[in-house]
Structures are given as structure tokens and as C-alpha cells.
Amino acid sequence: MGWRRLLGGRGRDASGAGEADRDARLVRYREHLERAVDSREAGMYARALSDFTRAVELEPGEPEAFAGRGETYRLLERYDEALADFKRAVGLEPEYAWAFGSRAQTYRALERDSEALADLSRAIELDDSEDWLFVERGEVYQELERYDEALADFNRAVGLDPEDAAALAGHDAPRPAPVRSWARPTHRPPTPPGPTPAHQAMTPGPE
């Protein structure tokens, strides 16, 4: 996910010892972050939160740990904490489409559809290659009874992934609005934390 961006010298101290200390801290940050993602994917949310929090403590200027912890809080239905972490993530990386999309899912859980719609539209502006963003926005449009716009988004999602069951369901029956199901959402983002634009721009370099 572009970890060499972190290890590539940004903000390094002038001394060699300082550089070594920072590199060691960044390696620990990466280890905690990767372990947190694995734990959350296995349903071990308490362990995931512990590792995400340690990653935040090690590198409070990096958005991935905030976004990943926010997603964990969302899955635990701790929505205020989720929103706080997503706010930090997009504050650190204003072009972090995945974090906007995941924050939108949190707003949907709180039935704050206008804010969800704004975040999904922003996420799509930043990255229009992710079918799940169009599915999420299409469902919001359904809930708002904006059916033509819902159908357009489901069409976009199907165009990106013809096997997307959620998009196909919305495409075939854009009305009435779908039943909300926040504990087991219809469509999930990719394995978080998703790469930031800076990560996506990186090319692997020598170790």
C-alpha cells in the first residue's frame, strides 16, 4: 500500500541516529497497522482497536490508522468515535476517497442522508473507479426518493462490476427505498484502511 512513502525520508531528523529512530518507528507503525487490519477482518475488534490506537500514537500525522480505527468503530456501532476518526483522516488527507466513503456509511447508519450523500459525491469525485461508492450513493438516492439518480448510479456500478449483486438488485428494482441494515451492510468498502492518494502514487523502490 505504498509504505515506502513513509520510509522515504519525509520529516526525517538531520542526524543519522534520528533517521534510524524514525525509520524504526515507521516500521512499528506499519506492523501495528497491518496487524490491526488482519484482526478486524477476523472479527477481533478489541485487538484491532488496540493496534490502530498504537499506530496513531506512533504516527499521528498519518491518516491510515485513523481511517482504519474509524471503520472498526463503525462496525462496533460506536458512531461518534467513528466520525471523529474519519474527520481526522480526511483532515490529514483531503483526497482520501475511501475515508469519505466509509464516513458516509457511518452517516447512513445515523440516518443523516444529506451528509452521507455529500461524502459519497466527494468520494466519487476523487475516485470514480470504485463500484461500491456508486452502490452506496444509489441507495441514498433511493432513500431520498430520487429514483432517476439512483438508477444512474446503479448503472455506473454495474458498468464497473457486472457481478455486483447489490448494484444489480438496485438496478432491477430502484423503488421503493431499500431496507436499512447497518449491522450487515449491503456493500462494503475494500479491506481498510484503503490507500491514500499519496500511497497510490508511489512506485516501489529498493529496500
Side-chain angles (χ1 to χ4, degrees):
M1 297 202 312
W3 299 108
R4 288 181 178 82
R5 178 180 71 87
L6 298 179
L7 297 173
R10 189 182 65 176
R12 286 188 172 185
D13 299 329
S15 68
E19 290 181 1
D21 287 346
R22 175 157 174 79
D23 282 353
R25 188 171 69 252
L26 291 170
V27 168
R28 293 197 303 274
Y29 167 85
R30 179 187 63 189
E31 290 172 347
H32 282 288
L33 193 60
E34 292 179 341
R35 190 164 62 212
V37 171
D38 290 341
S39 294
R40 191 192 44 237
E41 291 301 296
M44 297 184 291
Y45 296 136
R47 183 177 297 180
L49 286 176
S50 177
D51 274 312
F52 278 128
T53 297
R54 183 59 182 142
V56 165
E57 292 168 350
L58 286 167
E59 288 295 326
E62 295 296 333
E64 294 84 6
F66 285 108
R69 190 173 68 177
E71 175 68 1
T72 308
Y73 282 137
R74 184 184 75 83
L75 294 172
L76 290 168
E77 300 183 12
R78 293 166 59 174
Y79 297 127
D80 289 342
E81 292 161 291
L83 289 176
D85 272 350
F86 288 132
K87 181 178 180 180
R88 289 292 300 275
V90 300
L92 290 166
E93 178 49 81
E95 297 186 356
Y96 200 169
W98 184 90
F100 278 108
S102 293
R103 186 171 70 175
Q105 291 184 310
T106 310
Y107 283 138
R108 291 190 66 197
L110 296 168
E111 300 189 26
R112 293 163 60 174
D113 287 340
S114 61
E115 290 159 293
L117 182 59
D119 268 0
L120 288 165
S121 294
R122 177 59 177 153
I124 289 168
E125 286 177 7
L126 294 168
D127 183 0
D128 63 1
S129 67
E130 295 289 346
D131 59 297
W132 70 273
L133 293 173
F134 287 101
V135 172
E136 289 286 334
R137 193 173 68 174
E139 291 179 351
V140 174
Y141 280 138
Q142 280 184 306
E143 288 153 9
L144 296 172
E145 300 184 4
R146 294 166 59 174
Y147 299 118
D148 290 342
E149 291 159 294
L151 184 57
D153 272 353
F154 291 133
N155 282 334
R156 287 291 301 276
V158 171
L160 289 166
D161 181 3
E163 302 300 320
D164 189 322
L168 289 167
H171 175 274
D172 292 339
R175 27 180 128 206
V179 176
R180 295 175 184 269
S181 177
W182 308 119
R184 303 177 73 86
T186 303
H187 214 71
R188 292 285 304 282
T191 300
T196 64
H199 284 168
Q200 292 171 325
M202 285 299 299
T203 55
E207 297 294 339

